[in-house]
Amino acid sequence: MEKRIFIAIVISIAFLWLWAAVAPQLFPELAKKPEPAKPAAQQQQQTTPPPPPAATDTATAAPSAAAPTLAAAPDTTEPVSAQLVQLSVVDTPEFHAVLSNRGAQLVSFKLKKYPEKGSTRPVDLVKAREPNRIDYPFSIQGRDAALTNRLNAALYAVTDTTDAKGQRAIVYRWSDGRITSTKTFRFTQQPYRFDFSVQIAPPVPYRVAVGPGIRTLRPEEVDSQVVITGNGVLESEGKFKVLQREKGGTESFPGIEYVGIEDNYFLTILRPSRGGEGVFHRASFAVPNSKQKRIDLYAAVNAPPDGTVAGEAFFGPKEAELLESYGLESALQFGWFGVIARFLLTALVWINQYTLNYGFAIVVLTIFIKIVLYPLQHKQNVSMKKMQRVQPKMEAIRNKYKKSRTDAEQRQKMNVEMMQLYQKEGINPMAGCLPLILQLPILWGFYNLLSRAIELRGAPFMLWIQDLSEKDPYYITPILMTATMFLQTWMMPATGDPMQRRIFLIMPLVFGFLFKDFPSGLVLYWLVQNILTILQMWIMNKWWKEHPTELQST
Protein backbone atom coordinates (compact mmCIF):
# COMPACT_ATOMS: atom_id res chain seq x y z
CA MET A 1 0.00 0.00 0.00
CA GLU A 2 2.80 2.41 0.95
CA LYS A 3 4.53 1.66 -2.35
CA ARG A 4 1.54 2.77 -4.38
CA ILE A 5 1.19 5.95 -2.34
CA PHE A 6 4.78 7.08 -2.83
CA ILE A 7 4.88 6.04 -6.51
CA ALA A 8 1.71 8.10 -7.09
CA ILE A 9 3.30 11.11 -5.38
CA VAL A 10 6.44 10.95 -7.53
CA ILE A 11 4.42 10.57 -10.74
CA SER A 12 2.14 13.45 -9.71
CA ILE A 13 5.06 15.76 -8.97
CA ALA A 14 6.75 14.97 -12.28
CA PHE A 15 3.49 15.45 -14.19
CA LEU A 16 2.74 18.79 -12.50
CA TRP A 17 6.15 20.26 -13.27
CA LEU A 18 6.19 19.01 -16.86
CA TRP A 19 2.74 20.47 -17.34
CA ALA A 20 3.89 23.78 -15.82
CA ALA A 21 6.67 24.04 -18.39
CA VAL A 22 4.21 23.55 -21.25
CA ALA A 23 0.93 25.27 -20.49
CA PRO A 24 0.53 27.36 -17.34
CA GLN A 25 -3.05 28.54 -16.75
CA LEU A 26 -4.26 31.89 -15.48
CA PHE A 27 -6.26 33.54 -12.70
CA PRO A 28 -7.58 37.08 -12.03
CA GLU A 29 -7.34 39.49 -8.95
CA LEU A 30 -8.35 43.00 -7.19
CA ALA A 31 -8.09 47.31 -7.13
CA LYS A 32 -6.13 50.82 -5.79
CA LYS A 33 -5.32 54.25 -7.34
CA PRO A 34 -1.89 55.40 -8.50
CA GLU A 35 -0.29 58.75 -7.77
CA PRO A 36 -0.49 61.26 -10.63
CA ALA A 37 2.56 61.64 -12.85
CA LYS A 38 4.22 64.91 -13.81
CA PRO A 39 3.18 66.69 -17.03
CA ALA A 40 4.65 65.44 -20.27
CA ALA A 41 7.51 67.34 -21.85
CA GLN A 42 7.52 68.15 -25.56
CA GLN A 43 9.99 67.62 -28.31
CA GLN A 44 9.80 67.30 -32.09
CA GLN A 45 12.21 66.24 -34.80
CA GLN A 46 12.19 66.27 -38.58
CA THR A 47 13.89 63.79 -40.84
CA THR A 48 13.80 62.89 -44.48
CA PRO A 49 11.13 60.34 -45.34
CA PRO A 50 12.15 56.67 -45.54
CA PRO A 51 11.57 54.69 -48.73
CA PRO A 52 7.89 53.86 -49.33
CA PRO A 53 6.75 50.40 -48.19
CA ALA A 54 5.93 47.58 -50.55
CA ALA A 55 2.22 47.49 -51.29
CA THR A 56 2.18 43.71 -50.87
CA ASP A 57 3.47 43.73 -47.26
CA THR A 58 1.20 41.27 -45.46
CA ALA A 59 1.70 43.00 -42.11
CA THR A 60 0.40 46.24 -43.57
CA ALA A 61 -2.58 44.78 -45.35
CA ALA A 62 -3.41 42.21 -42.65
CA PRO A 63 -6.04 40.59 -44.88
CA SER A 64 -8.35 37.95 -43.46
CA ALA A 65 -11.80 36.55 -43.91
CA ALA A 66 -13.07 38.57 -40.96
CA ALA A 67 -11.24 41.80 -41.82
CA PRO A 68 -13.43 44.82 -42.69
CA THR A 69 -13.32 46.33 -46.16
CA LEU A 70 -12.17 49.93 -46.61
CA ALA A 71 -14.09 51.59 -49.42
CA ALA A 72 -13.21 54.92 -51.01
CA ALA A 73 -15.79 57.72 -50.77
CA PRO A 74 -16.59 60.62 -53.14
CA ASP A 75 -14.54 63.85 -53.00
CA THR A 76 -15.50 65.74 -49.84
CA THR A 77 -12.54 67.86 -48.75
CA GLU A 78 -9.24 69.41 -49.73
CA PRO A 79 -6.19 67.12 -49.65
CA VAL A 80 -4.17 67.36 -46.42
CA SER A 81 -0.70 65.86 -45.83
CA ALA A 82 2.85 66.63 -44.73
CA GLN A 83 6.05 66.75 -46.79
CA LEU A 84 8.49 65.32 -44.23
CA VAL A 85 8.50 62.61 -41.61
CA GLN A 86 7.94 64.28 -38.25
CA LEU A 87 8.58 62.54 -34.93
CA SER A 88 6.77 63.73 -31.81
CA VAL A 89 8.45 62.78 -28.55
CA VAL A 90 6.53 62.52 -25.28
CA ASP A 91 8.77 62.32 -22.25
CA THR A 92 7.40 61.66 -18.74
CA PRO A 93 8.93 60.29 -15.53
CA GLU A 94 7.61 56.84 -16.45
CA PHE A 95 8.08 56.54 -20.23
CA HIS A 96 9.62 57.97 -23.38
CA ALA A 97 7.22 57.65 -26.32
CA VAL A 98 7.82 58.48 -29.99
CA LEU A 99 5.02 58.93 -32.51
CA SER A 100 5.55 59.30 -36.24
CA ASN A 101 3.35 61.18 -38.67
CA ARG A 102 3.94 58.35 -41.17
CA GLY A 103 0.66 56.56 -40.62
CA ALA A 104 0.19 58.47 -37.33
CA GLN A 105 1.54 55.50 -35.40
CA LEU A 106 3.40 54.81 -32.17
CA VAL A 107 6.93 53.76 -33.14
CA SER A 108 8.53 53.54 -29.68
CA PHE A 109 7.39 53.35 -26.06
CA LYS A 110 10.29 52.94 -23.64
CA LEU A 111 9.73 52.32 -19.93
CA LYS A 112 12.32 54.34 -18.02
CA LYS A 113 12.09 52.36 -14.77
CA TYR A 114 12.49 48.93 -16.38
CA PRO A 115 15.77 48.18 -18.19
CA GLU A 116 16.20 45.16 -20.41
CA LYS A 117 17.74 42.24 -18.56
CA GLY A 118 21.51 42.36 -18.72
CA SER A 119 21.47 45.92 -20.06
CA THR A 120 20.93 49.54 -19.07
CA ARG A 121 18.65 50.18 -22.06
CA PRO A 122 15.00 50.69 -21.10
CA VAL A 123 12.46 48.12 -22.27
CA ASP A 124 10.69 49.21 -25.47
CA LEU A 125 7.11 47.91 -25.69
CA VAL A 126 7.04 48.49 -29.46
CA LYS A 127 8.57 45.47 -31.14
CA ALA A 128 11.37 46.12 -33.65
CA ARG A 129 10.42 45.70 -37.31
CA GLU A 130 11.99 45.32 -40.71
CA PRO A 131 12.55 48.67 -42.53
CA ASN A 132 9.57 48.31 -44.89
CA ARG A 133 7.00 47.48 -42.20
CA ILE A 134 4.27 50.07 -41.48
CA ASP A 135 2.17 48.14 -38.99
CA TYR A 136 3.13 49.88 -35.75
CA PRO A 137 0.57 50.32 -32.94
CA PHE A 138 -2.51 52.32 -34.00
CA SER A 139 -2.20 51.23 -37.62
CA ILE A 140 -5.34 50.71 -39.71
CA GLN A 141 -6.29 47.17 -40.80
CA GLY A 142 -8.59 46.17 -43.63
CA ARG A 143 -9.08 43.77 -46.53
CA ASP A 144 -8.31 46.41 -49.21
CA ALA A 145 -4.50 46.25 -49.16
CA ALA A 146 -3.97 49.26 -51.43
CA LEU A 147 -6.13 51.66 -49.40
CA THR A 148 -4.86 50.30 -46.09
CA ASN A 149 -1.27 50.84 -47.23
CA ARG A 150 -2.09 54.41 -48.25
CA LEU A 151 -3.53 55.21 -44.81
CA ASN A 152 -0.61 53.59 -42.97
CA ALA A 153 2.13 54.99 -45.22
CA ALA A 154 0.72 58.53 -45.61
CA LEU A 155 2.49 61.53 -44.05
CA TYR A 156 -0.08 63.13 -41.76
CA ALA A 157 -0.15 66.84 -40.93
CA VAL A 158 0.59 67.38 -37.22
CA THR A 159 -0.90 69.75 -34.66
CA ASP A 160 0.76 69.59 -31.24
CA THR A 161 -0.67 71.54 -28.28
CA THR A 162 -0.41 71.58 -24.48
CA ASP A 163 -3.13 73.06 -22.26
CA ALA A 164 -2.77 74.97 -19.00
CA LYS A 165 -2.98 71.70 -17.00
CA GLY A 166 0.01 70.27 -18.83
CA GLN A 167 -2.08 67.81 -20.85
CA ARG A 168 -0.68 67.35 -24.32
CA ALA A 169 -2.71 66.61 -27.45
CA ILE A 170 -1.10 65.50 -30.73
CA VAL A 171 -3.54 65.54 -33.65
CA TYR A 172 -2.71 63.88 -37.00
CA ARG A 173 -4.78 64.56 -40.12
CA TRP A 174 -4.54 63.26 -43.66
CA SER A 175 -6.89 63.48 -46.64
CA ASP A 176 -6.67 62.69 -50.34
CA GLY A 177 -9.80 64.75 -51.08
CA ARG A 178 -12.09 61.74 -50.90
CA ILE A 179 -11.37 60.16 -47.54
CA THR A 180 -10.05 61.83 -44.39
CA SER A 181 -8.23 60.10 -41.54
CA THR A 182 -7.77 61.84 -38.18
CA LYS A 183 -5.91 60.40 -35.20
CA THR A 184 -5.62 62.12 -31.82
CA PHE A 185 -3.39 61.13 -28.90
CA ARG A 186 -3.88 62.88 -25.57
CA PHE A 187 -1.31 62.39 -22.80
CA THR A 188 -2.60 63.13 -19.32
CA GLN A 189 -0.86 62.92 -15.96
CA GLN A 190 -1.62 59.23 -15.37
CA PRO A 191 1.33 56.80 -15.51
CA TYR A 192 1.57 54.60 -18.63
CA ARG A 193 -1.90 55.64 -19.79
CA PHE A 194 -3.07 57.92 -22.62
CA ASP A 195 -6.24 58.58 -24.60
CA PHE A 196 -6.64 57.92 -28.30
CA SER A 197 -9.19 58.64 -30.99
CA VAL A 198 -9.25 57.47 -34.63
CA GLN A 199 -11.80 58.72 -37.15
CA ILE A 200 -12.22 58.02 -40.84
CA ALA A 201 -14.74 60.17 -42.74
CA PRO A 202 -16.98 59.51 -44.51
CA PRO A 203 -17.49 56.47 -42.22
CA VAL A 204 -16.16 53.20 -43.64
CA PRO A 205 -15.44 49.83 -41.96
CA TYR A 206 -11.97 49.49 -40.45
CA ARG A 207 -10.21 48.52 -37.26
CA VAL A 208 -7.44 50.02 -35.12
CA ALA A 209 -4.70 47.57 -34.10
CA VAL A 210 -1.81 47.22 -31.67
CA GLY A 211 0.94 44.67 -32.11
CA PRO A 212 2.32 42.52 -33.48
CA GLY A 213 3.60 41.05 -30.26
CA ILE A 214 5.13 43.08 -27.47
CA ARG A 215 8.80 44.10 -27.18
CA THR A 216 11.77 42.46 -28.90
CA LEU A 217 12.97 39.25 -27.27
CA ARG A 218 16.60 38.61 -26.38
CA PRO A 219 18.14 35.57 -28.13
CA GLU A 220 18.06 33.49 -24.93
CA GLU A 221 14.34 34.27 -24.45
CA VAL A 222 13.20 33.05 -27.86
CA ASP A 223 13.14 29.32 -27.00
CA SER A 224 12.58 29.68 -23.26
CA GLN A 225 9.61 27.78 -21.86
CA VAL A 226 9.39 30.25 -18.97
CA VAL A 227 8.97 33.33 -21.20
CA ILE A 228 5.38 33.98 -22.29
CA THR A 229 5.21 36.62 -25.00
CA GLY A 230 2.91 37.81 -27.76
CA ASN A 231 -0.29 36.21 -26.45
CA GLY A 232 -3.57 38.08 -26.69
CA VAL A 233 -5.65 39.04 -23.66
CA LEU A 234 -9.16 40.39 -23.43
CA GLU A 235 -12.07 40.84 -21.10
CA SER A 236 -15.33 40.22 -22.92
CA GLU A 237 -18.78 40.19 -21.34
CA GLY A 238 -17.22 39.96 -17.89
CA LYS A 239 -14.95 37.00 -18.74
CA PHE A 240 -11.17 37.14 -19.01
CA LYS A 241 -9.52 35.17 -21.82
CA VAL A 242 -6.03 34.46 -23.11
CA LEU A 243 -5.45 33.71 -26.79
CA GLN A 244 -2.33 31.82 -27.84
CA ARG A 245 -0.24 33.55 -30.47
CA GLU A 246 0.26 30.40 -32.57
CA LYS A 247 -3.27 28.98 -32.47
CA GLY A 248 -6.20 30.07 -34.63
CA GLY A 249 -6.79 32.66 -37.32
CA THR A 250 -8.92 35.78 -36.91
CA GLU A 251 -11.28 35.82 -33.92
CA SER A 252 -13.91 38.40 -32.94
CA PHE A 253 -15.40 39.06 -29.50
CA PRO A 254 -18.43 41.27 -28.72
CA GLY A 255 -18.93 43.31 -25.58
CA ILE A 256 -15.24 43.82 -24.85
CA GLU A 257 -13.88 45.72 -21.87
CA TYR A 258 -10.36 45.69 -23.30
CA VAL A 259 -8.11 43.85 -25.76
CA GLY A 260 -4.33 43.71 -25.86
CA ILE A 261 -1.04 41.83 -26.03
CA GLU A 262 0.96 40.55 -23.04
CA ASP A 263 4.17 38.91 -21.95
CA ASN A 264 5.28 37.79 -18.48
CA TYR A 265 5.84 41.31 -17.17
CA PHE A 266 4.34 43.89 -19.58
CA LEU A 267 1.05 44.72 -21.22
CA THR A 268 -0.28 46.81 -24.13
CA ILE A 269 -4.03 47.41 -23.88
CA LEU A 270 -6.80 49.18 -25.83
CA ARG A 271 -9.89 49.94 -23.76
CA PRO A 272 -12.50 51.46 -26.08
CA SER A 273 -15.16 53.90 -24.96
CA ARG A 274 -16.41 53.99 -28.57
CA GLY A 275 -15.94 51.01 -30.83
CA GLY A 276 -17.25 47.69 -32.01
CA GLU A 277 -16.02 44.14 -31.54
CA GLY A 278 -12.58 43.19 -30.29
CA VAL A 279 -10.56 41.36 -32.95
CA PHE A 280 -7.43 39.22 -32.82
CA HIS A 281 -5.71 38.68 -36.13
CA ARG A 282 -2.77 36.34 -36.77
CA ALA A 283 -0.43 36.95 -39.70
CA SER A 284 2.42 34.79 -40.98
CA PHE A 285 5.76 36.33 -41.96
CA ALA A 286 8.91 34.93 -43.48
CA VAL A 287 11.88 35.17 -41.09
CA PRO A 288 14.76 37.08 -42.78
CA ASN A 289 17.64 34.82 -43.91
CA SER A 290 15.64 31.75 -43.00
CA LYS A 291 13.11 29.35 -44.48
CA GLN A 292 11.04 29.51 -41.31
CA LYS A 293 7.89 31.57 -40.81
CA ARG A 294 6.85 33.60 -37.79
CA ILE A 295 3.31 34.03 -36.46
CA ASP A 296 2.44 37.52 -35.22
CA LEU A 297 -0.70 38.40 -33.31
CA TYR A 298 -2.52 41.76 -33.49
CA ALA A 299 -5.19 43.00 -31.06
CA ALA A 300 -7.68 45.42 -32.60
CA VAL A 301 -11.00 47.23 -32.15
CA ASN A 302 -13.52 47.41 -34.98
CA ALA A 303 -14.94 50.81 -35.88
CA PRO A 304 -18.67 51.37 -35.21
CA PRO A 305 -20.99 52.73 -37.94
CA ASP A 306 -20.07 56.37 -37.16
CA GLY A 307 -16.43 55.67 -38.09
CA THR A 308 -14.83 56.67 -34.76
CA VAL A 309 -12.84 54.43 -32.42
CA ALA A 310 -11.89 56.11 -29.15
CA GLY A 311 -10.84 55.15 -25.66
CA GLU A 312 -7.75 54.80 -23.49
CA ALA A 313 -4.55 52.85 -23.99
CA PHE A 314 -2.23 51.33 -21.40
CA PHE A 315 1.40 50.52 -22.27
CA GLY A 316 3.19 49.52 -19.11
CA PRO A 317 4.31 47.03 -16.47
CA LYS A 318 2.03 44.49 -14.83
CA GLU A 319 2.39 46.01 -11.38
CA ALA A 320 -0.35 44.71 -9.11
CA GLU A 321 -1.50 48.04 -7.63
CA LEU A 322 -1.15 49.89 -10.93
CA LEU A 323 -3.33 47.42 -12.85
CA GLU A 324 -5.88 47.37 -10.06
CA SER A 325 -6.10 51.17 -10.09
CA TYR A 326 -6.95 51.10 -13.82
CA GLY A 327 -9.42 48.22 -13.51
CA LEU A 328 -7.10 45.84 -15.35
CA GLU A 329 -6.53 43.49 -12.42
CA SER A 330 -7.77 40.49 -14.40
CA ALA A 331 -4.74 40.84 -16.69
CA LEU A 332 -2.40 40.01 -13.80
CA GLN A 333 -2.28 36.23 -13.97
CA PHE A 334 -0.47 33.92 -11.57
CA GLY A 335 -1.75 30.63 -13.00
CA TRP A 336 -2.67 27.71 -10.78
CA PHE A 337 -2.88 28.58 -7.07
CA GLY A 338 -3.00 32.27 -8.02
CA VAL A 339 -4.45 33.21 -4.62
CA ILE A 340 -1.39 31.72 -2.93
CA ALA A 341 0.94 33.52 -5.35
CA ARG A 342 -0.80 36.85 -4.66
CA PHE A 343 -0.43 36.32 -0.90
CA LEU A 344 3.26 35.46 -1.31
CA LEU A 345 3.81 38.57 -3.44
CA THR A 346 2.09 40.81 -0.87
CA ALA A 347 4.16 39.25 1.91
CA LEU A 348 7.45 39.58 0.00
CA VAL A 349 6.81 43.23 -0.89
CA TRP A 350 6.05 43.98 2.77
CA ILE A 351 9.12 42.09 4.08
CA ASN A 352 11.33 43.76 1.46
CA GLN A 353 10.61 47.12 3.10
CA TYR A 354 12.82 45.92 5.95
CA THR A 355 15.31 43.56 4.24
CA LEU A 356 15.81 45.81 1.15
CA ASN A 357 16.67 42.60 -0.71
CA TYR A 358 14.11 40.23 -2.17
CA GLY A 359 16.48 37.28 -1.70
CA PHE A 360 16.58 37.83 2.05
CA ALA A 361 12.82 38.48 1.94
CA ILE A 362 12.38 34.98 0.46
CA VAL A 363 14.52 33.55 3.29
CA VAL A 364 12.41 35.32 5.95
CA LEU A 365 9.14 34.24 4.31
CA THR A 366 10.41 30.64 4.09
CA ILE A 367 11.13 30.65 7.82
CA PHE A 368 7.61 31.93 8.47
CA ILE A 369 6.10 29.19 6.25
CA LYS A 370 8.22 26.61 8.05
CA ILE A 371 6.86 27.78 11.41
CA VAL A 372 3.27 27.55 10.14
CA LEU A 373 3.82 24.02 8.79
CA TYR A 374 5.80 22.85 11.84
CA PRO A 375 2.89 20.96 13.53
CA LEU A 376 2.31 18.88 10.39
CA GLN A 377 6.00 18.16 9.91
CA HIS A 378 6.28 17.22 13.59
CA LYS A 379 3.45 14.72 13.10
CA GLN A 380 5.29 13.38 10.03
CA ASN A 381 8.43 12.69 12.04
CA VAL A 382 6.47 11.14 14.94
CA SER A 383 4.56 8.90 12.51
CA MET A 384 7.75 7.74 10.80
CA LYS A 385 9.41 7.08 14.17
CA LYS A 386 6.42 4.96 15.19
CA MET A 387 6.55 3.08 11.89
CA GLN A 388 10.23 2.43 12.50
CA ARG A 389 9.39 1.06 15.97
CA VAL A 390 6.69 -1.36 14.70
CA GLN A 391 8.71 -2.39 11.66
CA PRO A 392 9.24 -5.98 12.95
CA LYS A 393 5.46 -6.42 13.28
CA MET A 394 4.93 -5.06 9.75
CA GLU A 395 7.56 -7.46 8.38
CA ALA A 396 5.88 -10.35 10.17
CA ILE A 397 2.58 -9.54 8.43
CA ARG A 398 4.32 -9.27 5.03
CA ASN A 399 6.10 -12.58 5.54
CA LYS A 400 2.82 -14.23 6.57
CA TYR A 401 1.37 -13.47 3.13
CA LYS A 402 4.64 -13.66 1.19
CA LYS A 403 3.59 -16.75 -0.78
CA SER A 404 0.24 -15.28 -1.75
CA ARG A 405 1.34 -12.13 -3.56
CA THR A 406 -0.67 -12.98 -6.67
CA ASP A 407 -3.79 -13.84 -4.69
CA ALA A 408 -5.97 -10.72 -4.57
CA GLU A 409 -8.04 -12.02 -1.66
CA GLN A 410 -4.95 -12.77 0.43
CA ARG A 411 -3.44 -9.37 -0.33
CA GLN A 412 -6.67 -7.77 0.78
CA LYS A 413 -6.40 -9.62 4.09
CA MET A 414 -2.78 -8.44 4.44
CA ASN A 415 -3.84 -4.84 3.90
CA VAL A 416 -6.62 -5.19 6.49
CA GLU A 417 -4.15 -6.58 9.06
CA MET A 418 -1.69 -3.77 8.25
CA MET A 419 -4.37 -1.13 8.79
CA GLN A 420 -5.40 -2.74 12.06
CA LEU A 421 -1.76 -2.54 13.17
CA TYR A 422 -1.63 1.15 12.18
CA GLN A 423 -4.79 1.85 14.20
CA LYS A 424 -3.53 -0.04 17.21
CA GLU A 425 -0.20 1.82 17.22
CA GLY A 426 -1.75 5.20 16.39
CA ILE A 427 0.02 5.48 13.02
CA ASN A 428 -1.28 7.47 10.04
CA PRO A 429 0.43 6.11 6.90
CA MET A 430 -0.37 9.33 5.03
CA ALA A 431 1.23 11.56 7.67
CA GLY A 432 4.60 11.26 5.99
CA CYS A 433 3.18 12.47 2.66
CA LEU A 434 0.92 15.29 3.86
CA PRO A 435 3.61 17.98 4.46
CA LEU A 436 5.02 17.43 0.97
CA ILE A 437 1.55 17.56 -0.59
CA LEU A 438 0.79 20.82 1.24
CA GLN A 439 4.12 22.26 0.10
CA LEU A 440 3.31 21.74 -3.59
CA PRO A 441 0.74 24.61 -3.86
CA ILE A 442 3.23 26.93 -2.13
CA LEU A 443 6.00 25.77 -4.45
CA TRP A 444 3.74 26.28 -7.47
CA GLY A 445 2.74 29.73 -6.20
CA PHE A 446 6.40 30.71 -5.85
CA TYR A 447 7.11 29.46 -9.39
CA ASN A 448 4.31 31.54 -10.92
CA LEU A 449 5.23 34.50 -8.75
CA LEU A 450 8.90 34.53 -9.77
CA SER A 451 8.13 34.08 -13.47
CA ARG A 452 5.38 36.75 -13.62
CA ALA A 453 5.73 39.33 -10.80
CA ILE A 454 7.51 42.37 -12.19
CA GLU A 455 8.42 43.42 -8.65
CA LEU A 456 10.97 40.54 -8.63
CA ARG A 457 12.13 40.97 -12.23
CA GLY A 458 15.84 41.75 -12.13
CA ALA A 459 15.90 41.66 -8.31
CA PRO A 460 19.42 40.67 -7.13
CA PHE A 461 20.25 38.50 -4.14
CA MET A 462 24.00 38.28 -3.52
CA LEU A 463 27.27 37.14 -5.09
CA TRP A 464 26.57 35.38 -8.42
CA ILE A 465 22.74 35.57 -8.19
CA GLN A 466 21.87 38.94 -9.69
CA ASP A 467 18.33 38.14 -10.85
CA LEU A 468 15.98 36.02 -8.74
CA SER A 469 13.64 35.57 -11.71
CA GLU A 470 16.39 33.93 -13.80
CA LYS A 471 18.04 30.54 -13.35
CA ASP A 472 21.27 30.20 -11.37
CA PRO A 473 23.93 30.77 -14.07
CA TYR A 474 26.37 28.35 -12.40
CA TYR A 475 23.79 25.82 -11.06
CA ILE A 476 25.28 26.14 -7.57
CA THR A 477 21.97 26.50 -5.73
CA PRO A 478 20.32 23.52 -7.55
CA ILE A 479 23.34 21.36 -6.62
CA LEU A 480 23.12 22.49 -2.97
CA MET A 481 19.38 21.88 -3.01
CA THR A 482 19.88 18.32 -4.29
CA ALA A 483 22.62 17.65 -1.71
CA THR A 484 20.44 18.89 1.18
CA MET A 485 17.54 16.72 -0.03
CA PHE A 486 19.83 13.68 0.06
CA LEU A 487 20.94 14.59 3.59
CA GLN A 488 17.34 15.10 4.63
CA THR A 489 16.43 11.65 3.23
CA TRP A 490 19.37 10.02 5.03
CA MET A 491 18.24 11.55 8.35
CA MET A 492 14.66 10.33 7.98
CA PRO A 493 13.70 7.31 10.10
CA ALA A 494 14.02 4.11 8.05
CA THR A 495 10.72 2.28 7.62
CA GLY A 496 12.31 -0.90 6.34
CA ASP A 497 10.46 -0.80 3.01
CA PRO A 498 13.20 -0.97 0.33
CA MET A 499 10.93 0.39 -2.42
CA GLN A 500 9.95 3.39 -0.32
CA ARG A 501 13.59 4.03 0.51
CA ARG A 502 14.57 3.92 -3.18
CA ILE A 503 11.78 6.36 -4.06
CA PHE A 504 12.99 8.79 -1.40
CA LEU A 505 16.55 8.53 -2.77
CA ILE A 506 15.40 9.14 -6.37
CA MET A 507 13.32 12.22 -5.51
CA PRO A 508 16.34 14.53 -4.89
CA LEU A 509 17.65 13.73 -8.37
CA VAL A 510 14.21 14.35 -9.90
CA PHE A 511 13.84 17.68 -8.10
CA GLY A 512 17.42 18.72 -8.91
CA PHE A 513 16.88 18.07 -12.62
CA LEU A 514 13.54 19.93 -12.66
CA PHE A 515 14.86 22.91 -10.69
CA LYS A 516 18.11 23.51 -12.59
CA ASP A 517 16.46 25.85 -15.13
CA PHE A 518 13.85 27.33 -12.79
CA PRO A 519 14.13 30.86 -11.31
CA SER A 520 16.92 31.02 -8.72
CA GLY A 521 14.46 32.53 -6.22
CA LEU A 522 12.40 29.33 -6.35
CA VAL A 523 15.50 27.19 -5.81
CA LEU A 524 16.50 29.48 -2.92
CA TYR A 525 13.10 28.91 -1.27
CA TRP A 526 13.39 25.11 -1.53
CA LEU A 527 17.04 25.14 -0.39
CA VAL A 528 16.18 27.12 2.74
CA GLN A 529 13.23 24.77 3.37
CA ASN A 530 15.63 21.80 3.22
CA ILE A 531 18.12 23.40 5.60
CA LEU A 532 15.37 24.23 8.11
CA THR A 533 13.98 20.68 7.86
CA ILE A 534 17.43 19.20 8.47
CA LEU A 535 17.86 21.43 11.54
CA GLN A 536 14.39 20.47 12.79
CA MET A 537 15.07 16.74 12.34
CA TRP A 538 18.45 16.98 14.06
CA ILE A 539 16.90 18.70 17.10
CA MET A 540 14.00 16.24 17.27
CA ASN A 541 16.23 13.17 16.87
CA LYS A 542 18.48 14.47 19.64
CA TRP A 543 15.46 15.10 21.88
CA TRP A 544 14.05 11.62 21.33
CA LYS A 545 17.42 10.02 21.99
CA GLU A 546 17.61 11.82 25.35
CA HIS A 547 13.90 11.34 26.12
CA PRO A 548 12.99 7.88 24.72
CA THR A 549 9.70 7.73 26.64
CA GLU A 550 8.46 10.88 24.86
CA LEU A 551 7.72 8.95 21.69
CA GLN A 552 5.38 6.55 23.51
CA SER A 553 3.39 9.46 24.95
CA THR A 554 2.84 11.26 21.65
Side-chain angles (χ1 to χ4, degrees), residues 181-194:
S181 175
T182 306
K183 297 184 183 182
T184 302
F185 300 92
R186 190 177 303 277
F187 294 87
T188 62
Q189 298 180 358
Q190 295 178 291
Y192 308 109
R193 199 200 73 84
F194 57 94

Side-chain angles (χ1 to χ4, degrees), residues 325-367:
S325 68
Y326 290 149
L328 301 172
E329 61 273 10
S330 57
L332 184 60
Q333 312 132 27
F334 285 124
W336 293 356
F337 305 110
V339 174
I340 294 176
R342 174 57 70 89
F343 168 78
L344 294 173
L345 175 59
T346 303
L348 284 175
V349 171
W350 182 79
I351 296 171
N352 187 60
Q353 297 175 4
Y354 303 96
T355 62
L356 303 180
N357 182 300
Y358 274 108
F360 290 116
I362 289 174
V363 173
V364 172
L365 182 57
T366 306
I367 295 172

Side-chain angles (χ1 to χ4, degrees), residues 34-38 90 92-97 106 109-114 123 125 138 186-195 266-270 312-319 321-323 325-326 328 454:
E35 297 181 3
K38 297 177 183 178
V90 181
T92 77
E94 293 81 22
F95 63 84
H96 179 93
L106 182 68
F109 200 97
K110 295 179 179 179
L111 307 183
K112 292 182 173 182
K113 298 180 180 179
Y114 297 96
V123 167
L125 294 188
F138 299 98
R186 190 177 303 277
F187 294 87
T188 62
Q189 298 180 358
Q190 295 178 291
Y192 308 109
R193 199 200 73 84
F194 57 94
D195 298 329
F266 304 102
L267 193 64
T268 57
I269 285 288
L270 297 182
E312 55 187 50
F314 174 85
F315 280 58
K318 292 161 78 171
E319 294 177 4
E321 290 190 3
L322 182 66
L323 293 184
S325 68
Y326 290 149
L328 301 172
I454 197 167

Side-chain angles (χ1 to χ4, degrees), residues 31 102 110 165 170 206 244 305 328 343 382 413 452 489 508:
R102 180 173 291 282
K110 295 179 179 179
K165 296 181 179 179
I170 304 175
Y206 71 95
Q244 301 299 316
L328 301 172
F343 168 78
V382 170
K413 289 183 179 180
R452 289 179 171 87
T489 303

Side-chain angles (χ1 to χ4, degrees), residues 225-272:
Q225 293 181 330
V226 177
V227 176
I228 302 169
T229 185
N231 288 341
V233 292
L234 81 151
E235 189 167 316
S236 173
E237 298 178 335
K239 295 181 180 179
F240 177 78
K241 296 181 181 179
V242 176
L243 285 81
Q244 301 299 316
R245 176 170 56 90
E246 301 88 353
K247 300 177 182 179
T250 298
E251 302 176 73
S252 300
F253 298 89
I256 60 166
E257 292 292 326
Y258 61 80
V259 295
I261 308 289
E262 70 158 0
D263 72 358
N264 294 53
Y265 303 110
F266 304 102
L267 193 64
T268 57
I269 285 288
L270 297 182
R271 173 183 262 168

Side-chain angles (χ1 to χ4, degrees), residues 28 100 112 137 146 154 156 192 272 306 325 391 396 410 496 498 518:
S100 173
K112 292 182 173 182
Y156 285 60
Y192 308 109
D306 66 3
S325 68
Q391 192 61 42
Q410 291 297 311
F518 282 172

